[in-house]
Amino acid sequence: MKEQSFASLPVFLVDNDQSVLNVTAAVLRSAGVTNVQMVSDSRELLPALERQPASALLLDLFMPHITGNKLLPDIVHLYPEVPVIVMTAAQDVETAVRTMKEGAFDYLVKPVEESRLIASVRHALEVHSLRRQMGVLKHYLLSDCLQNNEAFAGIVTNSRKMRALFQYLEAVAGSAEPVLISGETGAGKEMFAHALHKLSGLGGQFVQVNVAGLDDTLFSDTLFGHKKGAFTGADQSRAGLIAQAAGGTLFLDEIGDLSMASQVKLLRLLQEHMYFPLGSDIARSSDARVVCATNCNLAQMMRQNQFRSDLFFRLSVHQIEVPPLRQHKEDIPLLLQHFLDEAAASINKPAPEPSNELLTLLSNYHFPGNVRELRAMVFNAMALHRGGSVLAMDSFRQAIQKQQKTAVDTLPRDEAEGVPVIIPGRFPTLDEVEEAMVREALKRAKGNQGVAATLLGLSRPALNRRLARRALPPEA
């Protein structure tokens, strides 16, 4: 059975004064803590906790029947992962010290300021989430299992490295904290975000927006919406994407391109779970889970003052680094067959078989465009395929050679000149370097001259002439 999402667990309010319960619940709900359960009879608390796990608990000390002083040690013993916030009228230091020693998470004196109450509860929820995730992570590390394979059905892989990421996603999926997914273009960051949403069990939608190229005004309007008359042309009010993602996931792609002004607004949203539509001075709460993705090095951008450090650390609670395809090349045969079947079905053709030569060529290519590049190669090859049981290799060779030429042409001159060349001992001649490169290419190509020629950026006849001139064996 799927474990209940951490974010969906209620906050329990325990007080015999119904007016205190109502006011406290209203304050928390206005701050986005919507799942609140009130207990006015202290005798009902432990049975209620047995039926329904809690994410945090606010406890009065002085109540009839069973006092909070008596309940506190029992709660801490039975439910050590649940932070207990004592909220009472007692102002003496001795009582505060005693309750903290007995395991209370925080001590609030009535009447409590709203900001102080909200901050304490949010901190408690974060701590509870981290405690639960540590337990889940420990379970996965010890068991090496996945409980929700169906959530990863869209990610084709047999890699242990990718499976470890799946386990981590399962562990943090229920947290309300933001998740940062990083990786190169085409590595599959969006698919990981979709899997995370499925695992979270959230009832709301998965709402995606690419923030690259959005100036601050457009960013605010896209996410927060606007009131009628907020700016010229705003003929009617419009809800933003945060409202559409209520109870679900808001996925912000290319977060590294966000302007500094927009970064401040995103940080406020993550910290306070509140936002202001354009033209409105009334704050609205948000319970959307925020997931961000980037192909940039945010840590480096932070050091260069291009990305706010407070936002970086807020986003970095949970991080997923999706590896490039060259780091899990064992998936290339599986992905190749998957894309072949997909491409063949899209044009209503039978899928040809990939040759061993093609697999050798692809396994020696570094794939700067990652899985997306491989998919484009396969779909192009299928469009050009004119029949036969074996998939032709010409389009793959041309694509690889074109990319290799583009990479050389676009390499900055100062970067090319700055690459260190370490040659111990005697400096080799050009003929010796060429011979070594040909031998290495043939070795990587497993003796296949066509694949070796592609790796060297040569035509096959040109490679044959070099082999003949040097009298190198075909499988050097």
Side-chain angles (χ1 to χ4, degrees), residues 360-375:
T360 301
L361 174 64
L362 296 178
S363 67
N364 282 284
Y365 181 53
H366 65 291
F367 281 104
N370 293 293
V371 178
R372 186 181 298 159
E373 183 182 8
L374 175 59
R375 183 180 186 276

Side-chain angles (χ1 to χ4, degrees), residues 233-271:
D235 300 328
Q236 57 184 2
S237 298
R238 184 179 72 84
L241 295 183
I242 292 178
Q244 293 182 29
T249 300
L250 178 65
F251 178 48
L252 305 178
D253 202 3
E254 306 293 353
I255 196 69
D257 294 334
L258 206 58
S259 70
M260 283 292 186
S262 298
Q263 289 178 31
V264 174
K265 295 177 181 178
L266 177 59
L267 177 63
R268 185 183 303 124
L269 173 69
L270 295 176
Q271 288 180 335

Side-chain angles (χ1 to χ4, degrees), residues 428-441 456 458 462-463 465-467 469-470 472:
T429 66
L430 285 176
D431 284 344
E432 290 171 335
V433 171
E434 180 181 296
E435 181 174 329
M437 290 182 64
V438 170
R439 287 182 180 276
E440 180 62 23
L456 291 166
L458 301 173
L463 176 61
R465 287 194 296 271
R466 282 171 168 76
L467 293 174
R469 185 172 71 244
R470 299 178 179 283
L472 288 172

